[in-house]
């Protein structure tokens, strides 16, 4: 076996350098310029003409590039977008019009171009020519023409090489154009998603209201910019305009919900939950009635398998009653006394998630809150969050944090979030994470 010495071939290093440069080219125009420069360096001065035939009748073309053998630009390179190309004048006839009127590459020797219909005498100094069609999705959209003075200066081997080289160049440019269009489309999607996220955040309480007898804190962190978690605290039976004037004897609704899935689609469902929730026509008797109302409207619309889990409680300051209903949501934790008391789950009732069947049948249960008691509402993104070895944060870990923490409800929310971040480590969050912590204040 004997290796052939390639050092004597001056074309190979030039072609390899061109390939390397093209892989990092920032635009189709830069790619084309690198190709033309490499071809001129490797094969000497040739006239290079590029014509576009996209959406034109046979024999008609637009000259989008014309560089003569001495390097003079007769037609600078046009941009590769359809708008810029459409501004280039359409010409027809002459030798080029004849060459491009039928598919397939062409090789011509012993040229004598005089008074050409499209180029006049400006190609009269060239003796040989090859014309190569460039394909896009199986159809010819443009042609490359290479000319040189020698009447037999372009061979069949040259034509074979040029067919491959030119179409690989066209493929590279096509990929760059597709990538540019994808970047534009992605930027538009990003703007839309950010608008959805802003709308969703606007539906959450900007500040939590002062509920007589309770202190409340909450946090909302999304898996993506827009998410499907939702929470709210509001006086029962009052319109949005009336909320600022809530009476001391009003009942208060405390809700947490989670739309299935992630991102914009889940955010849209969460926004619908908000809209439906606050159109309840009368003052409801209890939270289960509201959940059935929500379910009926969501079920009637149908979401192709999407659903919403929700926990809704009515708190009455008059007797410290806390009446709750659950539609497939994680049962909240109740720490019955102060620090060190083991939390218990509020799992006395529960029904189906919203939007699946015609009825939820969540049931209702009432407890009476005592001073110092703490309730932690959370979405499944909290307990299901996994670390790098796939261990879930878990309900038991959350329960221990609630049991041992001695601080305000706001500090407890921050502490849980800090522990979630520490547990998660370098991994990305898998779901939206929402917390609402409620504490009964000590009697005065």
């Amino acid at each position: 076996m004997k290796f052939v010495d390639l050092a004597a071939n001056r074309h190979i290093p030039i072609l390899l350098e061109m390939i390397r440069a093209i892989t990092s080219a920032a635009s189709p125009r830069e790619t084309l310029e690198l190709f033309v420069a490499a071809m001129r360096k490797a094969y000497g001065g040739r006239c290079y003409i590029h014509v576009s035939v996209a959406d034109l009748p046979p024999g008609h073309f637009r000259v989008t590039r014309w560089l003569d053998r001495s390097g003079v630009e007769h037609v600078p390179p046009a941009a590769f977008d359809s708008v810029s190309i459409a501004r280039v004048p359409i010409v027809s006839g002459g030798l080029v019009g004849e060459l491009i009127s039928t598919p397939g590459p062409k090789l011509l020797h012993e040229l004598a171009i005089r008074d050409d219909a499209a180029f006049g005498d400006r190609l009269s100094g060239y003796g040989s020519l090859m014309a190569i069609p460039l394909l896009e999705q199986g159809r010819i959209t443009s042609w490359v023409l290479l000319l040189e003075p020698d009447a037999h200066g372009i061979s069949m081997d040259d034509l074979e090489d040029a067919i491959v080289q030119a179409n690989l160049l066209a493929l590279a440019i096509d990929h760059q154009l597709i990538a540019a269009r994808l970047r534009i489309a992605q930027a538009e999607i990003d703007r839309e998603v950010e608008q959805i996220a802003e709308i969703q955040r606007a539906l959450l309480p900007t500040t939590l209201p002062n509920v007589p007898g309770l202190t409340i804190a909450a946090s909302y962190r999304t898996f993506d910019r827009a998410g499907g978690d939702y929470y709210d605290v509001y006086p029962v039976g009052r319109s949005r305009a009336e909320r600022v004037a809530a009476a001391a004897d009003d009942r208060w609704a405390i809700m947490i919900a989670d739309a299935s899935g992630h991102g914009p689609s889940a955010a849209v469902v969460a926004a619908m939950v908000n809209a439906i929730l606050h159109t309840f026509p009368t003052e409801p008797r209890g939270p289960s009635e509201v959940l059935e109302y929500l379910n009926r409207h969501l079920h009637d619309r149908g979401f192709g398998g999407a659903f919403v889990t929700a926990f809704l409680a009515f708190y009455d300051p008059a007797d410290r009653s806390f009446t709750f209903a659950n539609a497939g949501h994680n049962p909240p934790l109740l720490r019955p006394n102060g620090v060190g008391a083991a939390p218990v789950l509020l799992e006395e009732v529960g029904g189906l998630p919203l939007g699946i069947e015609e009825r939820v049948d969540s049931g209702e249960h009432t407890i009476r809150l005592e001073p110092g008691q703490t309730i932690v509402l959370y979405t499944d993104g909290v307990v299901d969050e996994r670390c790098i070895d796939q261990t879930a944060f878990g309900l038991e870990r959350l329960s221990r944090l609630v049991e041992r923490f001695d601080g305000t409800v706001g500090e407890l929310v921050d502490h849980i979030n800090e522990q979630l971040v520490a547990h998660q480590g370098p991994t990305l969050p898998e779901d939206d994470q929402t917390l609402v912590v409620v504490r009964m204040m000590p009697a005065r």
Side-chain angles (χ1 to χ4, degrees):
M1 180 174 67
K2 181 181 179 181
F3 284 99
V4 178
D5 184 10
L6 303 179
N9 188 309
R10 67 185 186 89
H11 294 166
I12 291 176
I14 295 172
L15 295 175
L16 290 175
E17 175 59 24
M18 177 193 71
I19 293 170
R20 184 202 64 76
I22 283 177
T23 58
S24 58
S27 68
R29 177 175 288 183
E30 182 181 350
T31 298
L32 177 60
E33 292 308 299
L34 289 168
F35 176 79
V36 171
M39 292 300 100
R40 291 177 63 80
K41 186 176 180 182
Y43 301 107
R46 287 176 172 174
C47 176
Y48 171 90
I49 299 174
H50 180 273
V51 299
S52 172
V53 297
D55 303 319
L56 296 179
H60 291 67
F61 57 94
R62 291 182 169 99
V63 181
T64 52
R65 180 72 190 277
W66 180 4
L67 178 70
D68 73 17
R69 62 188 299 266
S70 61
V72 174
E73 294 274 11
H74 293 277
V75 176
F80 281 81
D81 61 276
S82 58
V83 174
S84 297
I85 291 176
R87 295 193 183 111
V88 178
I90 299 173
V91 293
S92 62
L95 176 62
V96 174
E98 180 182 351
L99 292 175
I100 66 171
S101 63
T102 58
K106 313 290 191 310
L107 176 61
L108 284 75
H109 289 161
E110 301 178 2
L111 292 176
I113 307 174
R114 297 286 188 275
D115 195 23
D116 184 80
F119 290 90
D121 292 332
R122 288 177 290 180
L123 302 181
S124 60
Y126 297 99
S128 56
L129 174 154
M130 58 179 166
I132 305 133
L134 303 183
L135 303 178
E136 183 179 328
Q137 296 181 345
R139 66 187 185 95
I140 298 173
T141 57
S142 60
W143 289 73
V144 169
L145 293 89
L146 295 172
L147 303 91
E148 70 169 55
D150 191 327
H152 295 273
I154 300 175
S155 68
M156 187 65 72
D157 288 341
D158 291 334
L159 178 61
E160 291 175 359
D161 292 342
I163 290 171
V164 175
Q165 292 166 354
N167 277 282
L168 287 177
L169 170 69
L171 185 61
I173 289 174
D174 191 42
H175 284 173
Q176 287 180 321
L177 292 171
I178 291 172
R181 288 194 290 267
L182 287 175
R183 286 193 294 270
I184 293 171
Q186 185 61 53
E188 182 62 30
I189 292 171
D190 288 344
R191 285 192 291 271
E192 294 292 337
V193 170
E194 188 55 43
Q195 288 178 350
I196 291 172
E198 289 177 3
I199 292 170
Q200 183 193 28
R201 288 190 290 268
L203 298 177
L204 302 175
T206 52
T207 58
L208 288 168
N210 294 318
V211 181
L214 300 181
T215 57
I216 305 175
S219 73
Y220 170 80
R221 305 194 305 171
T222 60
F223 163 80
D224 199 353
R225 285 162 295 179
D229 283 5
Y230 174 75
Y231 72 92
D232 207 348
V233 179
Y234 61 94
V236 176
R238 288 190 177 271
S239 67
R240 294 180 187 276
E242 296 173 328
R243 290 184 186 184
V244 293
D249 59 350
D250 277 336
R251 293 180 300 165
W252 287 84
I254 302 170
M255 184 180 194
I256 191 168
D258 182 3
S260 60
H262 307 294
S265 60
V268 170
V269 176
M272 291 185 67
V273 169
N274 171 273
I276 298 168
L277 179 68
H278 297 294
T279 59
F280 196 90
T282 60
E283 182 165 348
R285 294 183 295 274
S288 63
E289 186 181 6
V290 176
L291 291 184
E292 292 294 349
Y293 177 79
L294 275 168
N295 180 72
R296 183 168 65 255
H297 284 272
L298 292 173
H299 180 265
D300 289 349
R301 283 161 176 78
F303 294 109
F307 59 87
V308 180
T309 67
F311 177 92
L312 177 61
F314 285 0
Y315 167 71
D316 191 340
D319 58 5
R320 306 195 309 275
S321 61
F322 189 84
T323 302
F324 58 89
N326 193 335
H329 197 80
N330 304 82
L333 286 167
L334 168 66
R335 191 173 75 181
N337 295 301
V339 178
V344 296
L345 290 171
L346 297 181
E347 54 183 353
E348 289 82 359
V349 293
L352 292 172
L354 307 173
I356 296 178
E357 299 289 348
E358 291 184 358
R359 288 191 57 81
V360 173
D361 295 324
S362 64
E364 283 185 1
H365 184 74
T366 300
I367 60 176
R368 195 173 304 279
L369 297 183
E370 300 297 335
Q373 288 185 337
T374 301
I375 300 175
V376 178
L377 289 70
Y378 55 94
T379 55
D380 56 10
V382 173
V383 292
D384 291 346
E385 182 58 51
R386 297 182 182 275
C387 62
I388 197 166
D389 67 0
Q390 295 301 299
T391 302
F393 189 78
L395 180 60
E396 183 178 348
R397 191 191 309 262
L398 177 62
S399 182
R400 287 199 306 269
L401 290 177
V402 174
E403 177 182 344
R404 299 170 183 175
F405 190 77
D406 184 16
T408 66
V409 290
E411 292 167 342
L412 176 55
V413 167
D414 292 340
H415 180 61
I416 294 172
N417 283 328
E418 289 167 2
Q419 294 302 306
L420 272 170
V421 171
H423 175 78
Q424 179 182 310
T427 62
L428 296 173
E430 298 178 354
D431 201 356
D432 308 323
Q433 299 170 351
T434 301
L435 291 163
V436 178
V437 178
V438 178
R439 179 173 295 163
M440 185 73 199
M441 290 188 291
R444 295 180 179 176

